[in-house]
Amino acid sequence: MKEQTGLERLTGLIAFARAGSLGSYSAAARSLSISPSAVSKSVQRLERQLGVSLFTRTTRSLTLTNEGRDLHERALKLLRDAEEIEQAAMAARSKPAGTLRIATSLPIGLHVIAPILPRFRALHPKVSIDLRLSDHRIDLIEEGIDLAVRIGDLPDSGLLSRKLSAHRLCCYAAPDYLAQAGVPFHPDDLHDHQTVNLRYQNSGQLFRWPFRVGEREIEVVPSSPIVVDASEAVLATVSAGAGIGMATSFMATPWVKRGQLVPVLSDYSVERHNITAVWPESRRSNPAVRAFLNTLLEGQ
């Protein structure tokens, strides 16, 4: 009976640590791959065992109490220790196995990660994939993510990292649009064309189109009659004949191969080296992480 109580307390501490970090039972449940009701019951059982209230609950929020705040950091350390034990055990098995949790943005998930998953699973059938797509940057350690692939400049952190292959930012348009409106030969010619631009969801800022002109890189914000907040929507709208849009080469290549888009202003496109795979120190020796990194790099 004491062993069961101890196990329940440990389960409750893990659920409490995740819920306190993520701010909701639902988010904690997703990160632990259990139901929200299981998280709620574990936390309530822990509160009864400890004799304190850990959260102030409303219909919309979950806030740590003073007592909960004092205990949360200790619970997080317990969770990190448990994950390190799990990673050490996985490394001891040497062969990749278990669930590999990967986080990235929707464009990278669709065009970089998803295409290599069948090959990876064929090589490592004992590894299951939990792929999470979001434009919001998450805390890998708090959410139990094994590996993330990010685009853009990375803040200084304790994460391990590996740069992936370069990509290009280029303009694209549908063949029918170009046949009707003509082909631009210089970025200045965009003033005479319809364009589709991107608005970043996290900042609300419009995408500034970069061009390499001689030895300089310039930026242009076209006066676009159509603005969307998803990169895929730029390509879909442009392929329908709405005008010219800018996108990454790894996103546009499938559209170009199908003949739905053609690159324009290619001589002025810019190269970027800002796609990076990152993973926590605790996953350094995880065989599944190492194997996926190898597959990712081979597919570049």
Side-chain angles (χ1 to χ4, degrees):
M1 188 67 178
K2 287 183 178 180
E3 290 179 358
Q4 181 178 356
T5 301
L7 181 60
E8 288 178 348
R9 186 177 293 121
L10 179 60
T11 302
L13 284 168
I14 293 172
F16 163 59
R18 284 286 167 80
S21 295
L22 302 177
S24 76
Y25 288 152
S26 296
R30 286 194 297 271
S31 72
L32 294 169
S33 300
I34 59 177
S35 68
S37 62
V39 174
S40 176
K41 289 177 181 177
S42 291
V43 173
Q44 290 174 10
R45 188 184 302 116
L46 179 65
E47 288 179 320
R48 290 195 300 270
Q49 292 168 344
L50 299 178
V52 297
S53 294
L54 299 172
F55 292 112
T56 299
R57 302 167 179 84
T58 68
T59 55
R60 294 187 177 183
S61 66
L62 195 66
T63 306
L64 288 165
T65 62
N66 289 335
E67 294 86 354
R69 197 172 296 108
D70 291 339
L71 292 173
H72 185 243
E73 185 56 40
R74 299 183 185 184
L76 280 178
K77 183 180 184 305
L78 176 66
L79 183 58
R80 288 192 290 266
D81 290 344
E83 288 182 340
E84 287 180 5
I85 292 172
E86 180 185 10
Q87 297 302 315
M90 292 176 65
R93 293 201 299 266
S94 74
K95 290 187 177 181
T99 299
L100 182 65
R101 297 176 180 86
I102 305 169
T104 191
S105 64
L106 180 62
I108 293 177
L110 289 177
H111 298 286
V112 178
I113 304 297
I116 69 171
L117 293 182
R119 179 157 54 93
F120 176 77
R121 287 273 299 125
L123 292 170
H124 308 288
K126 293 185 178 181
V127 180
S128 58
I129 302 295
D130 182 351
L131 179 59
R132 307 181 186 190
L133 306 180
S134 172
D135 287 331
H136 298 289
R137 188 157 292 182
I138 62 174
D139 188 308
L140 273 63
I141 296 173
E142 288 191 355
E143 297 207 21
I145 300 298
D146 300 303
L147 177 78
V149 180
R150 293 172 171 170
I151 187 167
D153 296 328
L154 298 182
D156 187 25
S157 71
L159 298 174
L160 303 177
S161 64
R162 177 71 179 268
K163 287 282 187 184
L164 303 184
S165 292
H167 64 279
R168 300 191 76 81
L169 281 165
C170 186
C171 288
Y172 297 89
D176 289 346
Y177 171 82
L178 295 174
Q180 181 180 359
V183 178
F185 294 100
H186 189 277
D188 290 344
D189 296 340
L190 290 173
H191 294 296
D192 301 321
H193 283 268
Q194 299 293 311
T195 57
V196 179
N197 202 5
L198 172 72
R199 176 182 286 111
Y200 292 108
Q201 293 181 10
N202 56 358
S203 67
Q205 298 295 313
L206 291 175
F207 175 48
R208 305 178 67 87
W209 295 17
F211 294 99
R212 174 68 61 181
V213 180
E215 297 300 316
R216 298 184 304 120
E217 183 175 307
I218 66 170
E219 290 184 339
V220 174
V221 181
S223 179
S224 302
I226 300 177
V227 176
V228 299
D229 68 354
S231 302
E232 285 293 326
V234 171
L235 293 171
T237 307
V238 169
S239 71
I244 298 172
M246 180 172 280
T248 60
S249 54
F250 66 82
M251 288 181 59
T253 294
W255 298 79
V256 173
K257 288 182 177 179
R258 293 193 298 265
Q260 293 174 280
L261 292 175
V262 294
V264 296
L265 299 174
S266 299
D267 291 342
Y268 301 94
S269 63
V270 299
E271 190 171 86
R272 290 285 186 262
H273 300 261
N274 61 351
I275 299 181
T276 310
V278 295
W279 61 99
E281 171 69 34
S282 61
R283 303 305 197 264
R284 178 192 290 273
S285 57
N286 184 315
V289 171
R290 293 201 308 268
F292 189 80
L293 279 170
N294 290 336
T295 304
L296 190 59
L297 293 167
E298 289 168 1
Q300 297 296 295

